[in-house]
Amino acid sequence: MFHLRRVEYLFKWRRMIQNRGVSIFIALVSCVGIVAQPVWSESMQLFRHRASTGTESNQWHVPSEIMVGRELANQFLSRYPLVNNAMIQSYVNRLGQGIVAMVGRSDIRYYFAVIDADHVNAYALPGGYVLVTSAMIDACKNEAQLVGVLAHELSHINRRYIVETYKIGTVSNGFFGEASVMIGGGMQTSRIGLSQLSNQIMQELLETGLDAKEELAADAEAVLFMQILGYDVGQYRELLLSFGHHKDSSRVSNTHPKIDQRLVVIQETNTKGMIGRDRFNAHVHQ
Amino acid sequence: MTDLMPMFINNCRFILILGLTIGVMANSGHYKTMLIGDRAATMGGAFTAISDDPSGVYFNPAGIVYMPGNTMSGSANTFYQSSVSFKDAIGSLDWDREGMSMMPTFFSLLNRINDQWVWGLSYVVPNASIEHQQSMYQTLTNSNNMYILNVHEEDIRQYVGPSIAWAPTKTLSLGMTVYYYHHDRKLQSNQYISDVSDRIQLWKTNDQIMTINGITPVLGVMWSPFDHWSIGASARKTIDIGSNKKQNAIQFEPSDSSTIGGQIQSSELNYWEPTPTQYTVGVAYFPSPFVIFSMDAEAYLMDDPNYKNVLNLSVGCEWFFNQTQAIRLGVYTNNSAIPEPTNTSTSRRRIDLVGYSLGYSIYQSNNSITFGVNYATGYGKAQVYEDSTIINVERMDMSLLVAASFSM
């Protein structure tokens, strides 16, 4: 009898523990986890990242980048047609190709064009497409100022801002990419359709503008490019000042940071970035 | 041969008098019939301390908060085949049963709300098997002319439901998945025995349909006390919300040489298949972005005295041999919850399995495709007659999977 009672007692306890096991178990482990906070691990569990995350910057990006850029260019041209002036188109393109020869990427071809639009702006599209509005051409007083604009846009493309922001690279990845799509039963939940992607990018380019830090970084790089090319950086500064004083401010696009901020960056870069100044002084004026 | 003769005659006698007991073939007391996911399925299911991809919702929902990127989805299609061989069950012949299925077994979508919260939705099929057997045996004994055995069985278990995970600190996360559970099983069997004069000696048919509906909450926690280490734990229990079982059984036996007497039984009743409370603990070591080692221990605790508690172990590793390709290996146990057959029990079939998994993945920007194979085998004891005669049984499971995942 005693043995039977003991068995029943144990069985009753086992059932009770099982029935309440879930809540007790989780509560205990949670308490241990909250109390025993490690002081040496500050990472957001970056150790979990696999080697495959490095494939974000791989050979497949460029064709995808060009495809997206081409789609964006089509959308722009459907809104703002090309200026019907072969001379100016040729001039801007030759000027741009000259800049590319010195500071462009080697894995894409660049295209420069003037679009018929009455707002002062220029656009850098992934894949090497640079579009300058006719209003911007009108706003430039000399070649140095136009070079500054083209250099600024080139910087965006070189820095792959849109490619990295929108993680472009999965639109078409060859056999295994397509096979993985098929096996996934068409549920392409991590791939935005090309048109949806380009709509999002268009909105950023035309309305909200790129990230302010990116714009300022492009200004700084434009200054360096102009120095390399031998153009007067002061003219780029003059151009930006003219935007601030433009008699028709509605024509000046508000997709960039405030002029004051941009002028500070240009000034700082122009002072610091005299190429090789310290090296020259160290060797020549030692 | 002489030693086998008494067994041969006994086997035949039981078959010819009473037929075989056609029990469930698929998932007889096993809980890891088909492994889920892509990485997890090819790492032996040792994923509780990793769980940082779409299959994490099933293994340990706390882990999904560590998924890379803002959106992730994954799916898998699996071809599954299971073969069970009851040795010398029909005279000196083995009774072989084979079930298979080819279907999507997993789909999951994860979406990041912010750095601390991730939600998900998933559909999981941890077991799916269709068996169709048509067999005819002749002249098993001098008095027997024909024994016909037909079996058709379909057994599918499905889970579908949402998940949520929260990381209150950088090293601790909690998660929950609430699944709707649906188990559908159909079993039709027909046994016919005639004598040398073509008179019916026995005719048994059985038609069972069982439907089980339940809610299965899965609670998970994950903790990383040290860099490169992760400890995970999860618990789950299926709660019945409505089930039933319908059965029609017909048995005809001749009362004498000229007449046939029979009995027909038909029933429909509320039925609940006992399910265990499952606790899983896992540990994983991430020495580099190229390698992971993980180990899980799963305990299945049953309330029902007709079932045993089960402990399963699994170990797995993942190795990226370059940035775009990885292989995975795993070893796991799939022990049975059915108690060992004894001299006083009937209709028990117990086979403990050991499984091996192998997978290969190719990665490109934000997507991957995985090819994998799982193979499990084991030996055990079974009772296939109406009495407590115990025979040997062997089982082999194999599944081939093709899976894909996307992230952004």
Side-chain angles (χ1 to χ4, degrees), chain A residues 166 170-171 188-197 200, chain B residues 408:
Chain A
Y166 292 91
T170 61
V171 176
Q188 304 167 23
T189 52
S190 69
R191 284 182 38 173
I192 302 174
L194 180 57
S195 61
Q196 288 177 313
L197 175 63
Q200 265 192 286
Chain B
M408 200 173 146

Side-chain angles (χ1 to χ4, degrees), chain A residues 126-139:
Chain A
Y129 300 90
V130 176
L131 303 176
V132 183
T133 65
S134 50
M136 175 64 87
I137 300 291
D138 292 340

Side-chain angles (χ1 to χ4, degrees), chain B residues 59-246:
Chain B
F59 290 92
N60 183 354
I64 63 175
V65 76
Y66 302 116
M67 67 158 185
N70 295 319
T71 304
M72 239 183 142
S73 68
S75 63
N77 296 284
T78 305
F79 168 75
Y80 168 76
Q81 181 176 23
S82 178
S83 303
V84 182
S85 179
F86 299 94
K87 301 301 182 186
D88 302 327
I90 304 175
S92 63
L93 303 172
D94 297 338
W95 176 30
D96 296 324
R97 299 181 66 176
E98 190 171 277
M100 63 177 71
S101 65
M102 170 75 189
M103 62 187 298
T105 53
F106 166 73
F107 168 74
S108 172
L109 163 68
L110 303 180
N111 195 48
R112 181 175 295 284
I113 300 169
N114 56 39
D115 280 346
Q116 289 180 297
W117 291 89
V118 168
W119 73 274
L121 196 62
S122 61
Y123 167 75
V124 176
V125 178
N127 179 57
S129 178
I130 298 175
E131 177 198 6
H132 188 81
Q133 178 187 7
Q134 286 177 301
S135 304
M136 184 168 72
Y137 306 89
Q138 289 182 300
T139 323
L140 285 176
T141 66
N142 290 336
S143 61
N144 160 255
N145 186 38
M146 189 181 299
Y147 173 49
I148 294 174
L149 172 63
N150 299 327
V151 178
H152 181 88
E153 184 193 6
E154 298 177 12
D155 193 337
I156 299 177
R157 298 167 192 253
Q158 303 167 87
Y159 293 94
V160 61
S163 307
I164 188 85
W166 172 45
T169 74
K170 289 178 183 174
T171 55
L172 176 72
S173 65
L174 306 169
M176 182 169 74
T177 299
V178 179
Y179 279 128
Y180 166 69
Y181 169 68
H182 183 79
H183 182 192
D184 216 7
R185 181 162 74 83
K186 300 179 178 67
L187 175 63
Q188 292 173 316
S189 65
N190 178 47
Q191 298 184 74
Y192 172 90
I193 302 170
S194 66
D195 63 16
V196 292
S197 304
D198 283 335
R199 286 179 300 192
I200 298 173
Q201 289 184 304
L202 176 71
W203 181 27
K204 281 170 76 169
T205 74
N206 193 351
D207 191 335
Q208 280 183 16
I209 299 176
M210 181 181 74
T211 303
I212 295 177
N213 299 296
I215 298 291
T216 307
V218 181
L219 302 176
V221 60
M222 194 166 289
W223 181 39
S224 296
F226 311 105
D227 224 12
H228 301 288
W229 285 91
S230 173
I231 300 169
S234 70
R236 72 190 70 199
K237 169 73 179 172
T238 300
I239 304 159
D240 176 27
I241 60 171
S243 311
N244 66 66
K245 182 177 178 179
K246 295 181 191 173

Side-chain angles (χ1 to χ4, degrees), chain B residues 7-21:
Chain B
M7 188 177 179
F8 175 89
I9 293 174
N10 273 342
N11 291 352
C12 293
R13 181 172 73 239
F14 283 116
I15 294 168
L16 299 175
I17 294 173
L18 300 167
L20 293 164
T21 55

Side-chain angles (χ1 to χ4, degrees), chain A:
Chain A
M1 181 61 98
F2 173 76
H3 175 71
L4 182 64
R5 279 194 194 152
R6 186 162 179 273
V7 168
E8 288 173 351
Y9 181 75
L10 288 173
F11 188 73
K12 173 186 158 189
W13 267 103
R14 191 186 85 159
R15 203 165 29 185
M16 195 168 84
I17 288 170
Q18 282 181 18
N19 288 343
R20 298 178 189 174
V22 171
S23 53
I24 293 172
F25 171 73
I26 295 297
L28 276 176
V29 176
S30 300
C31 286
V32 169
I34 290 168
V35 167
Q37 283 303 299
V39 296
W40 56 84
S41 175
E42 289 298 319
S43 69
M44 289 297 291
Q45 307 218 359
L46 292 175
F47 59 79
R48 289 176 175 273
H49 285 192
R50 304 289 84 216
S52 55
T53 55
T55 57
E56 285 187 352
S57 50
N58 64 14
Q59 60 176 338
W60 298 107
H61 258 211
V62 173
S64 304
E65 179 188 352
I66 294 172
M67 186 183 293
V68 171
R70 197 176 291 151
E71 171 67 20
L72 285 167
N74 283 337
Q75 291 202 23
F76 263 96
L77 293 176
S78 66
R79 286 196 202 200
Y80 309 108
L82 288 174
V83 164
N84 188 14
N85 185 329
M87 188 179 293
I88 200 161
Q89 294 288 2
S90 168
Y91 169 67
V92 170
N93 188 52
R94 278 186 287 117
L95 204 60
Q97 296 300 340
I99 303 171
V100 167
M102 298 292 283
V103 293
R105 282 165 52 187
S106 59
D107 55 346
I108 55 173
R109 285 185 67 179
Y110 290 77
Y111 303 89
F112 298 85
V114 182
I115 55 176
D116 188 6
D118 62 359
H119 59 274
V120 178
N121 211 340
Y123 302 98
L125 311 179
Y129 300 90
V130 176
L131 303 176
V132 183
T133 65
S134 50
M136 175 64 87
I137 300 291
D138 292 340
C140 291
K141 296 287 180 287
N142 53 53
E143 187 170 283
Q145 291 185 354
L146 182 54
V147 164
V149 171
L150 297 178
H152 175 103
E153 301 308 322
L154 212 72
S155 170
H156 286 312
I157 295 174
N158 288 358
R159 293 162 58 81
R160 293 186 174 89
Y161 171 74
I162 290 179
V163 170
E164 295 296 333
T165 301
Y166 292 91
K167 298 202 179 345
I168 294 170
T170 61
V171 176
S172 175
N173 284 353
F175 170 76
F176 287 112
E178 295 303 317
S180 65
V181 169
M182 287 196 298
I183 288 159
M187 296 294 290
Q188 304 167 23
T189 52
S190 69
R191 284 182 38 173
I192 302 174
L194 180 57
S195 61
Q196 288 177 313
L197 175 63
S198 54
N199 285 345
Q200 265 192 286
I201 299 173
M202 284 288 284
Q203 187 180 11
E204 183 166 350
L205 289 171
L206 288 172
E207 293 170 27
T208 56
L210 305 187
D211 180 65
K213 280 187 191 168
E214 169 63 22
E215 290 291 2
L216 295 173
D219 276 336
E221 211 161 74
V223 166
L224 290 175
F225 290 171
M226 290 182 76
Q227 288 177 342
I228 290 170
L229 294 162
Y231 283 94
D232 179 11
V233 175
Q235 290 301 316
Y236 187 51
R237 184 175 173 278
E238 290 300 318
L239 178 66
L240 294 184
L241 272 172
S242 73
F243 291 162
H245 300 138
H246 205 287
K247 48 188 175 185
D248 186 357
S249 59
S250 67
R251 290 188 68 207
V252 178
S253 178
N254 59 357
T255 57
H256 288 71
K258 290 194 162 90
I259 302 292
D260 294 342
Q261 279 181 286
R262 301 181 71 180
L263 292 175
V264 166
V265 168
I266 288 169
Q267 182 62 29
E268 283 179 358
T269 311
N270 197 23
T271 305
K272 281 190 233 175
M274 284 183 66
I275 298 171
R277 176 182 64 177
D278 293 336
R279 187 173 55 209
F280 177 81
N281 288 339
H283 286 86
V284 175
H285 299 297
Q286 67 272 46

